[in-house]
Amino acid sequence: MATKSPEHHRRIGIRLVGLARRWRQALDARLSSAGLSDATWSALVHLHELGDGISQSQLAAAAGLDGSSLVRLLDILVDQQLVERRPHPSDRRVKLLHLTQAGRRALASIRKRLAAIEDELLADIDDEEAGVLLRAFEKIEARIAASN
């Protein structure tokens, strides 16, 4: 088993937070040149990842948005005919979200652009290193989920 270095462990959190912020900024800068705002592309990707038929509150939690911000964003996405709200079958207070065909086309374009950006940012990370990172993230996520 590998040894633990307290010095390295103490640096992970701050580095991860900073990297996440810079990663998002890099994606936003490149995607905004294609007319895609951070909120738009992120919400569409999260909705696709979680699957059609999720509630607004589920999307808000996944995307890290507060409810009122998400409502405004969803109004825009609905107006652009990328997302539609449908009533919940048993709870009329809840609206379920679904990507439209136009939303799926927009998502395909976003995914293509994201893949190119990610390929550039991860150019010198091999599959083994990526796997180690992903497994470490999964462990951290599981520990956070267990503590909530």
Side-chain angles (χ1 to χ4, degrees):
M1 175 175 236
T3 60
K4 291 184 179 183
S5 167
E7 177 186 332
H8 288 145
H9 278 79
R10 300 298 171 263
R11 294 176 52 210
I12 289 174
I14 193 70
R15 293 292 305 272
L16 189 57
V17 169
L19 177 59
R21 184 174 31 258
R22 288 186 297 281
W23 180 275
R24 188 76 175 247
Q25 289 169 343
L27 295 180
D28 292 345
R30 288 168 173 91
L31 290 171
S32 68
S33 67
L36 299 165
S37 74
D38 166 45
T40 301
W41 73 259
S42 178
L44 292 173
V45 169
H46 279 97
L47 177 54
H48 178 260
E49 291 291 319
L50 295 169
D52 280 337
I54 64 164
S55 69
Q56 292 180 184
S57 61
Q58 289 171 304
L59 181 58
L65 297 170
D66 65 85
S68 60
S69 296
L70 181 65
V71 168
R72 287 189 300 276
L73 172 61
L74 288 173
D75 288 343
I76 293 167
L77 295 174
V78 168
D79 288 345
Q80 293 175 346
Q81 298 181 341
L82 300 175
V83 172
E84 59 183 30
R85 292 178 175 114
R86 297 181 191 167
H88 189 283
S90 61
D91 187 346
R92 65 183 184 166
R93 298 168 297 169
V94 176
K95 299 293 184 202
L96 302 179
L97 304 172
H98 295 265
L99 286 171
T100 63
Q101 283 304 107
R104 291 183 195 292
R105 286 190 299 274
L107 180 66
S109 174
I110 291 166
R111 286 261 191 226
K112 185 176 181 181
R113 291 178 188 277
L114 282 173
I117 297 164
E118 289 169 346
D119 286 347
E120 175 189 331
L121 295 175
L122 299 172
D124 58 348
I125 306 292
D126 65 32
D127 284 345
E128 184 178 338
E129 290 171 310
V132 169
L133 278 172
L134 290 172
R135 287 189 297 280
F137 291 165
E138 288 168 4
K139 288 178 182 178
I140 295 167
E141 287 176 329
R143 187 146 303 113
I144 291 169
S147 70
N148 289 336

